[in-house]
Amino acid sequence: MPYIIVISCVTTETVMVSSPSIFYKADEVHLFRYIRDPGTASAKLYEDHFQSVCRQIRSSLPECLVTEHTDDPVYDLPRMVRALSVLYSRIRREHPDAEVHANLSSGPSEFIAALGIFAFLNPDVKLFKVATKRYTVSAEEFMLLHYDGDGNAVGLSREVYDPGPVPTVTLDGPDEVLVRSLRLYHQVLERGESPTGPLMMSLLEEKGLWIQSRNHCGKKTSESTLDRNNYYRNYANIWKMLGWIEDRDMRECPPLTEEGKAVIEMFWPE
């Protein structure tokens, strides 16, 4: 069994943090949180929720190592990206083969955005989310929280501070030609056809996605053979290497993996 590590943020949720940790049978759980005003009622609120999460995890996973991270504000995106990267480096030194899961369903929006950047930079990190099945308050009480006495929808925030800028970074997305060509491959599969090499070469050329590579190092090789080799070397094999299609013999025209489907849905849309 792999060594399992789960990363989450704790604010005012408990089972959204403890349940997935228990589900994955975590060997280690890293909990990020931050107390801005120690000694206040709000600080007690956050502390009580954190302690409740720890009790729930240890009740089901008594051998699990729970580590608290409080050095950086969880609402500071750049510092959270840095803190997650430092943690990840330590994890890889201590447990090179660990399976790392990160919780997108807990913590403020800045922490969740930091997790997205962190996972983009470290593709072996497995992001997950959890949905609420049952609330701690009744439907009537839940509605009352979101309306004022006059029946106006107000949400949970009555007043907010002025907006502040969020530092941004530029990250390179996946190669455009690889994504668009993979979408063509998937469309052929969706039609119930087989995306064979010759068919794909024709479609790629038609869409302007065919990258010619006929350097055969002086050997007498037919253009059709060079084109076929080019397709498998610069398209199909790379899709397989990136985990976008299932790892099978390409003669079987393997389907896309869930990662591959997500890639063609998110990047370079038609």
Side-chain angles (χ1 to χ4, degrees), residues 101-197:
H101 299 265
N103 190 350
L104 277 177
S105 297
S106 66
S109 56
E110 295 87 350
F111 181 84
I112 293 169
L115 273 186
I117 296 172
F118 166 65
F120 189 95
L121 296 172
N122 302 283
D124 56 334
V125 173
K126 302 176 185 296
L127 295 177
F128 69 86
K129 60 184 179 67
V130 292
T132 300
K133 182 186 292 185
R134 188 162 52 92
Y135 289 96
T136 55
V137 296
S138 67
E140 292 76 14
E141 291 171 314
F142 186 81
M143 295 293 287
L144 286 173
L145 291 172
H146 292 78
Y147 290 87
D148 63 16
D150 298 323
N152 299 310
V154 293
L156 295 180
S157 297
R158 183 170 297 278
E159 186 179 1
V160 297
Y161 294 103
D162 293 337
V166 175
T168 57
V169 294
T170 301
L171 299 173
D172 291 332
D175 181 80
E176 180 179 0
V177 170
L178 283 175
V179 173
R180 292 191 183 279
S181 57
L182 179 68
R183 186 179 289 112
L184 279 178
Y185 178 91
H186 183 62
Q187 288 169 350
V188 174
L189 284 173
E190 290 283 281
R191 293 199 299 264
E193 302 175 27
S194 296
T196 59

Side-chain angles (χ1 to χ4, degrees), residues 12-270:
T12 57
E13 293 288 353
T14 59
V15 293
M16 287 192 120
V17 177
S18 59
S19 288
S21 302
I22 295 166
F23 173 85
Y24 287 118
K25 297 181 172 60
D27 297 287
E28 283 185 30
V29 174
H30 292 271
L31 301 178
F32 283 80
R33 70 186 192 114
Y34 186 71
I35 303 300
R36 181 162 42 187
D37 303 306
T40 63
S42 63
K44 182 180 184 306
L45 174 74
Y46 292 121
E47 176 66 24
D48 289 347
H49 282 75
F50 172 75
Q51 293 301 334
S52 180
V53 168
C54 293
R55 284 194 300 272
Q56 291 171 17
I57 293 173
R58 286 168 178 150
S59 174
S60 296
L61 303 171
E63 302 300 320
C64 179
L65 174 63
V66 178
T67 302
E68 177 185 9
H69 299 268
T70 60
D71 292 340
D72 299 290
V74 294
Y75 48 81
D76 188 316
L77 190 150
R79 290 171 70 176
M80 276 297 99
V81 174
R82 179 184 181 280
L84 288 164
S85 298
V86 169
L87 170 60
Y88 183 77
S89 297
R90 197 186 88 199
I91 287 171
R92 286 298 170 221
R93 284 196 306 271
E94 297 175 358
H95 303 283
D97 299 321
E99 193 174 286
V100 181
H101 299 265
N103 190 350
L104 277 177
S105 297
S106 66
S109 56
E110 295 87 350
F111 181 84
I112 293 169
L115 273 186
I117 296 172
F118 166 65
F120 189 95
L121 296 172
N122 302 283
D124 56 334
V125 173
K126 302 176 185 296
L127 295 177
F128 69 86
K129 60 184 179 67
V130 292
T132 300
K133 182 186 292 185
R134 188 162 52 92
Y135 289 96
T136 55
V137 296
S138 67
E140 292 76 14
E141 291 171 314
F142 186 81
M143 295 293 287
L144 286 173
L145 291 172
H146 292 78
Y147 290 87
D148 63 16
D150 298 323
N152 299 310
V154 293
L156 295 180
S157 297
R158 183 170 297 278
E159 186 179 1
V160 297
Y161 294 103
D162 293 337
V166 175
T168 57
V169 294
T170 301
L171 299 173
D172 291 332
D175 181 80
E176 180 179 0
V177 170
L178 283 175
V179 173
R180 292 191 183 279
S181 57
L182 179 68
R183 186 179 289 112
L184 279 178
Y185 178 91
H186 183 62
Q187 288 169 350
V188 174
L189 284 173
E190 290 283 281
R191 293 199 299 264
E193 302 175 27
S194 296
T196 59
L199 174 59
M200 285 303 301
M201 286 185 280
S202 174
L203 289 173
L204 291 169
E205 193 162 18
E206 178 186 323
K207 297 294 185 179
L209 298 170
W210 181 244
I211 301 172
Q212 295 274 359
S213 177
R214 290 178 175 165
N215 180 12
H216 45 79
C217 303
K219 297 180 181 179
K220 292 183 179 180
T221 309
S222 68
E223 288 190 356
S224 62
T225 299
L226 288 171
D227 285 342
R228 185 175 63 251
N229 293 341
N230 180 51
Y231 169 67
Y232 288 110
R233 180 174 60 250
N234 293 321
Y235 296 86
N237 288 341
I238 295 180
W239 296 335
K240 188 187 298 185
M241 180 187 69
L242 292 171
W244 293 353
I245 60 175
E246 292 186 4
D247 190 5
R248 301 185 196 169
D249 188 324
M250 283 305 301
R251 287 174 294 187
E252 300 177 15
C253 299
L256 274 64
T257 61
E258 290 304 312
E259 289 83 357
K261 292 176 183 176
V263 164
I264 63 172
E265 183 174 348
M266 291 190 294
F267 299 101
W268 308 109
E270 297 278 43

